[in-house]
Amino acid sequence: MNHYFFERTKKSPTYVCGICIFVVIKYFLMKYIFTLITLLLLFSCKNYKKVNIKIKEVPAILYLSKKYDKNINNNLVIYIPGNNQQYTKKTSDKSFYWLMDNNYSFACIQIQDKSLPPYDNNNSGWGNDEAYNRVLNLYKFLNEKYKFNDEVIIIGASMGGLTMGQILVRDDIKVKLAIGMGPVPSLQTIWKNAPERRVPIRNSYSLKLDGSEDLKMDSIFKKNDWKYLMQNSNKRIKPTYLYYGIDNVFEKDFGGLDEYIKLENILKIKSEKTVLKTNNSITH
């Protein structure tokens, strides 16, 4: 009997170890089974088609809604990315899939080649003409190749808000409504409040990087700053929704809530509808 007990005891660590491994595997399977099923469903029920595009050698992307029909007019959202964001940037997963489910296709183009020096060209964004023209080229290309409604929804994120504002004031792109996701409220404001951003802004507007041509910025504000353009426009602006988060960039570089309220007051006069709301998920 002692010999039998000894043999059982000698095997028991392996036996117990096997049971432990089984229990751990079962626990993780039970815990993550719903996540795995959800992921499998998402991949099996993909509700969009991804199309990579190049327009004049500039990369862009189009997500065609699963409900897209080339025989009818479809809805389109154009997203304008912020500083140092790529053209592959999307909205949050929740809002993106909502768009896809409701027949809103989604497009974005690279508006900034480099955000920091050394620079190879002047395509560093900050509301310059190149950024505007790239979005315009995207709009024209999509309207020619795909069947979309002439009026589109424009979303401008952070720096992309500068270009969004120009689109609202000008007549090249027909806008249904605009959504600013933490948009830069004014080029002049960020130029004044954030000296460390002046080098890329100078580059965007073909100024000498050493600051010796900074006096030219006043004329640039009048031509490219959407806050200035709004103030001096006679155009009835389409509905505009402004969302902002509160962080150091918002408080310092963007001038805080005061600057957004100034912009809101202008839009209340010029726009068909204006909404200003905070959204803590937004970073600038």
Side-chain angles (χ1 to χ4, degrees), residues 86-226:
Q86 297 299 306
Y87 68 98
T88 51
K89 173 74 176 176
K90 299 198 295 284
T91 57
S92 67
D93 286 344
K94 182 179 179 181
S95 58
F96 176 76
Y97 285 111
W98 184 93
L99 290 171
M100 296 298 106
D101 286 337
N102 289 275
N103 195 23
Y104 283 89
S105 294
F106 183 97
C108 183
I109 192 167
Q110 190 73 27
I111 65 166
Q112 182 186 56
D113 294 344
K114 288 185 72 175
S115 60
L116 296 171
Y119 297 110
D120 302 317
N121 54 47
N122 299 110
N123 304 333
S124 47
W126 295 106
N128 67 356
D129 292 341
E130 176 65 19
Y132 179 88
N133 288 330
R134 288 186 179 189
V135 178
L136 177 58
N137 289 338
L138 175 66
Y139 172 79
K140 288 179 176 178
F141 173 85
L142 294 178
N143 272 353
E144 290 171 4
K145 189 171 178 64
Y146 300 89
K147 195 171 179 66
F148 289 116
N149 293 317
D150 286 341
E151 286 193 340
V152 299
I153 295 174
I154 299 290
I155 301 177
S158 193
M159 180 190 74
L162 295 170
T163 303
M164 178 195 76
Q166 295 167 357
I167 291 169
L168 278 170
V169 173
R170 297 168 184 167
D171 298 318
D172 302 306
I173 297 175
K174 295 180 179 180
V175 177
K176 182 177 182 179
L177 63 89
I179 303 171
M181 304 298 290
V184 175
S186 164
L187 179 63
Q188 187 173 28
T189 297
I190 202 164
W191 171 266
K192 176 185 175 182
N193 293 351
E196 68 277 9
R197 299 182 187 265
R198 290 179 186 173
V199 169
I201 293 174
R202 288 177 187 129
N203 183 71
S204 296
Y205 292 96
S206 302
L207 302 181
K208 292 181 180 179
L209 301 186
D210 62 8
S212 58
E213 295 181 314
D214 282 0
L215 289 177
K216 294 181 180 180
M217 284 303 300
D218 284 340
S219 61
I220 290 169
F221 296 144
K222 292 177 182 178
K223 180 177 177 290
N224 290 79
D225 191 338
W226 71 304

Side-chain angles (χ1 to χ4, degrees), residues 264-278:
E264 180 192 28
N265 289 336
I266 296 169
L267 284 165
K268 280 181 177 178
I269 299 171
K270 304 287 184 176
S271 175
E272 295 174 6
K273 181 179 181 179
T274 305
V275 175
L276 177 63
K277 284 187 176 182
T278 184

Side-chain angles (χ1 to χ4, degrees), residues 233-251:
S233 174
N234 293 320
K235 182 180 177 180
R236 189 65 172 164
I237 305 299
K238 289 293 183 175
T240 305
Y241 297 77
L242 303 176
Y243 298 94
Y244 63 92
I246 298 176
D247 55 20
N248 290 335
V249 173
F250 172 78
E251 296 290 359

Side-chain angles (χ1 to χ4, degrees), residues 19-120:
I19 292 176
C20 289
I21 292 171
F22 173 78
V23 170
V24 169
I25 292 173
K26 183 179 179 182
Y27 169 78
F28 277 100
L29 281 175
M30 292 301 294
K31 184 176 181 180
Y32 295 108
I33 190 70
F34 294 110
T35 302
L36 289 170
I37 290 172
T38 302
L39 289 172
L40 287 171
L41 285 172
L42 281 175
F43 282 109
S44 62
C45 303
K46 197 173 180 181
N47 59 351
Y48 64 87
K49 177 184 177 182
K50 179 180 174 182
V51 183
N52 289 303
I53 301 167
K54 270 201 171 182
I55 304 171
K56 297 183 179 180
E57 299 306 311
V58 180
I61 199 163
L62 169 65
Y63 296 96
L64 281 172
S65 165
K66 190 175 181 179
K67 297 179 181 179
Y68 170 82
D69 185 345
K70 64 181 180 181
N71 297 311
I72 62 172
N73 288 334
N74 299 269
N75 301 310
L76 177 65
V77 175
I78 294 179
Y79 182 87
I80 309 172
N83 184 43
N84 210 27
Q85 289 183 350
Q86 297 299 306
Y87 68 98
T88 51
K89 173 74 176 176
K90 299 198 295 284
T91 57
S92 67
D93 286 344
K94 182 179 179 181
S95 58
F96 176 76
Y97 285 111
W98 184 93
L99 290 171
M100 296 298 106
D101 286 337
N102 289 275
N103 195 23
Y104 283 89
S105 294
F106 183 97
C108 183
I109 192 167
Q110 190 73 27
I111 65 166
Q112 182 186 56
D113 294 344
K114 288 185 72 175
S115 60
L116 296 171
Y119 297 110
D120 302 317

